[in-house]
Amino acid sequence: MNRPLQVTVLGATGSIGLSTLDVIARHPDRYAVFALTGFSRLAELRALCLVHRPRFAVAADEAQARALQQQLREDGLTTQVMSGEGGLSEVAAHPETDVVMAAIVGAAGLKPTLAAVQSGKRVLLANKEALVMSGALFMRALRDSGAVLLPIDSEHNAIFQCLPSAYSQGLGSVGVRRILLTASGGPFREFAPERLIDVTPEQACAHPNWSMGRKISVDSASMMNKGLELIEACWLFDAHPNQVEVVIHPQSVIHSMVDYVDGSVLAQLGNPDMRTPIAHALAWPERIESGVSALDLLQIGRLDFQAPDDSRFPCLQLARQSAENGGTAPAMLNAANEVAVEAFLNRRIRFTEIASIIDDVLNREAPVAVGCLEDVLAADRCARERAGQWLGRNGR
Ligand code: NAD
Ligand code: MG
């Protein structure tokens, strides 16, 4: 047996990070934890270090890193603690790490995820925002470095599983007609438009099928999550936006489908538990136990499908338009959304104003072509500034 693969978990204290560590702990012969990173939850990061005994840990800033280093020494661990963006990129690109789970939420994950791709790792991509922002650079770095990118987002993992390995030569050449991206519809799927005005962060974060971080939960409620996933699918599978169709499927049992020119539709099914795509990506092309129970179709009984309602959930259309406009449009969409979601979680704006802010930002700034990372970062800064101006103009 070869030595265990060394895994760096970026965003270890989050929902995906914890699920990843759960799967890894089931297979100590195959995987060892090389580095763990956290941001605000220092006590949780310490507890994870005690269990997994990584070579490195990365905390938010120097003060937190010093505090954690002291605690870990007292705990008798030799873990070395680093800090900030530099520390994140260092563990992501470290020559002794084989696999990087990119599970930081939002634009903060862009640089370390890119660092992992550029240094040719097996990259397990949960941090969809990184790809949405910088898809062209990301995919170019992937080709140049020979890194292996495996999608963790359940939909993209499902699509990957339903495609033949030659898909990278073009969807048309392997007979794909459309990608059918399934969406649960979120907690407000059946809410009338007038009820959406008054929904709270607590209601938005109570997803019917999945337990996730707060930002992605709000994105799921607004359908921006599906919009980001549409853009993610275009980059991962080299698809045109009009080849990706969104289908509401409230049970979240089918995780997405691929429709072929001969009329065949392939689907991947499973219980809604992220340990399935995580285990798939860790072991690919092999299969390992994930801890997820077998799917009981008789218990589920039925699978329903509906068309998405763009008038109640305008974020999906905003994302589709950004995908079509290209250039820096998706980075601006993402940044405006991050500012808006945070403002909603802090009760500064109404749920329905998330889309208003994004629409305003996209109308004020024309996208430009992306040549280098600075183009993406500049678009991100500009959109955050514009979104801040919206908040100011509207007295929030
Ligand atoms: P989460 O909020 O539970 O965890 C986020 C992690 O990122 C935490 O470890 C946090 O410490 C870290 N983090 C936050 N801000 C940071 C910063 N500025 N610098 C460094 N680290 C920072 O989120 P999650 O639900 O685990 O989602 C993580 C990513 O995975 C997101 O991009 C999300 O869209 C994607 N994803 C999640 C799920 C899910 O089921 N949770 C499914 C598909 C995709
Ligand atoms: Mg998803």
Side-chain angles (χ1 to χ4, degrees):
M1 182 79 197
N2 298 332
R3 74 174 176 97
L5 291 175
Q6 301 293 310
V7 186
T8 285
V9 184
L10 303 172
T13 53
S15 165
I16 293 287
L18 293 174
S19 293
T20 304
L21 291 171
D22 181 284
V23 177
I24 287 177
R26 293 167 191 274
H27 303 279
D29 51 327
R30 298 181 72 120
Y31 309 107
V33 175
F34 181 74
L36 295 176
T37 87
F39 192 61
S40 51
R41 302 174 212 150
L42 206 61
E44 275 99 327
L45 186 56
R46 178 188 187 182
L48 292 176
C49 287
L50 277 172
V51 175
H52 299 281
R53 310 181 83 83
R55 272 269 302 280
F56 295 101
V58 184
D61 54 36
E62 273 184 38
Q64 293 206 19
R66 265 196 305 276
L68 182 62
Q69 186 69 77
Q70 175 72 21
Q71 291 166 351
L72 294 181
R73 226 175 266 136
E74 285 164 18
D75 294 330
L77 294 194
T78 55
T79 302
Q80 188 183 328
V81 185
M82 299 191 281
S83 67
E85 220 170 59
L88 294 173
S89 292
E90 196 171 332
V91 293
H94 196 286
E96 284 170 56
T97 195
D98 304 302
V99 181
V100 175
M101 165 54 84
I104 290 174
V105 59
L110 174 60
K111 283 187 188 165
T113 306
L114 259 184
V117 171
Q118 284 160 345
S119 44
K121 306 299 181 195
R122 174 186 282 235
V123 180
L124 277 43
L125 183 74
N127 180 206
K128 65 191 86 182
E129 296 91 344
L131 185 63
V132 165
M133 290 173 75
S134 68
L137 302 177
F138 207 98
M139 298 314 282
R140 197 193 306 154
L142 195 66
R143 281 190 297 273
D144 291 348
S145 71
V148 175
L149 187 68
L150 291 157
I152 293 299
D153 220 341
S154 56
E155 295 76 3
H156 306 76
N157 185 271
I159 295 160
F160 180 82
Q161 293 196 47
C162 295
L163 285 171
S165 53
Y167 79 85
S168 53
Q169 286 152 32
L171 290 181
S173 73
V174 292
V176 171
R177 180 157 48 197
R178 291 176 304 171
I179 286 171
L180 298 170
L181 193 64
T182 54
S184 70
F188 307 140
R189 180 172 55 90
E190 293 188 315
F191 277 37
E194 59 277 13
R195 280 182 74 198
L196 287 175
I197 295 170
D198 291 320
V199 297
T200 63
E202 290 71 28
Q203 285 175 297
C205 289
H207 196 279
N209 305 339
W210 299 94
S211 144
M212 311 179 286
R214 283 164 70 78
K215 192 260 176 183
I216 185 177
S217 295
V218 176
D219 285 346
S220 299
S222 69
M223 296 284 291
M224 180 53 92
N225 184 47
K226 214 45 59 182
L228 297 175
E229 289 183 356
L230 186 156
I231 301 172
E232 186 185 7
C234 290
W235 287 118
L236 286 174
F237 307 116
D238 196 15
H240 187 274
N242 65 20
Q243 285 178 290
V244 184
E245 194 172 313
V246 174
V247 180
I248 304 286
H249 164 48
Q251 291 91 353
S252 297
V253 166
I254 294 180
H255 298 307
S256 279
M257 298 172 264
V258 178
D259 177 10
Y260 288 89
V261 288
D262 62 3
S264 299
V265 176
L266 300 193
Q268 186 260 358
L269 287 72
N271 286 317
D273 186 322
M274 290 307 291
R275 291 176 300 175
T276 295
I278 290 167
H280 170 266
L282 274 171
W284 180 84
E286 294 170 28
R287 297 269 178 181
I288 55 171
E289 283 265 9
S290 64
V292 178
S293 54
L295 184 65
D296 186 346
L297 279 173
L298 297 181
Q299 172 77 27
I300 290 157
R302 55 185 278 182
L303 301 173
D304 295 307
F305 305 98
Q306 297 164 357
D309 179 347
D310 293 340
S311 64
R312 278 184 309 142
F313 300 104
C315 286
L316 182 55
Q317 268 311 104
L318 289 170
R320 190 178 278 282
Q321 191 58 53
S322 296
E324 274 163 16
N325 292 348
T328 51
M332 289 194 290
L333 170 96
N334 177 67
N337 182 54
E338 286 192 25
V339 174
V341 169
E342 189 165 318
F344 170 66
L345 284 170
N346 293 329
R347 297 175 209 279
R348 288 172 70 192
I349 62 165
R350 291 176 183 277
F351 179 72
T352 43
E353 289 174 330
I354 294 174
S356 314
I357 292 179
I358 300 165
D359 192 29
D360 183 72
V361 170
L362 293 176
N363 279 324
R364 283 169 195 273
E365 285 301 325
V368 297
V370 171
C372 63
L373 185 59
E374 185 43 38
D375 297 335
V376 173
L377 298 176
D380 177 88
R381 280 193 300 271
C382 168
R384 282 172 201 273
E385 214 173 287
R386 291 280 187 205
Q389 287 164 359
W390 186 101
L391 294 172
R393 272 201 312 280
N394 290 278
R396 310 309 164 83

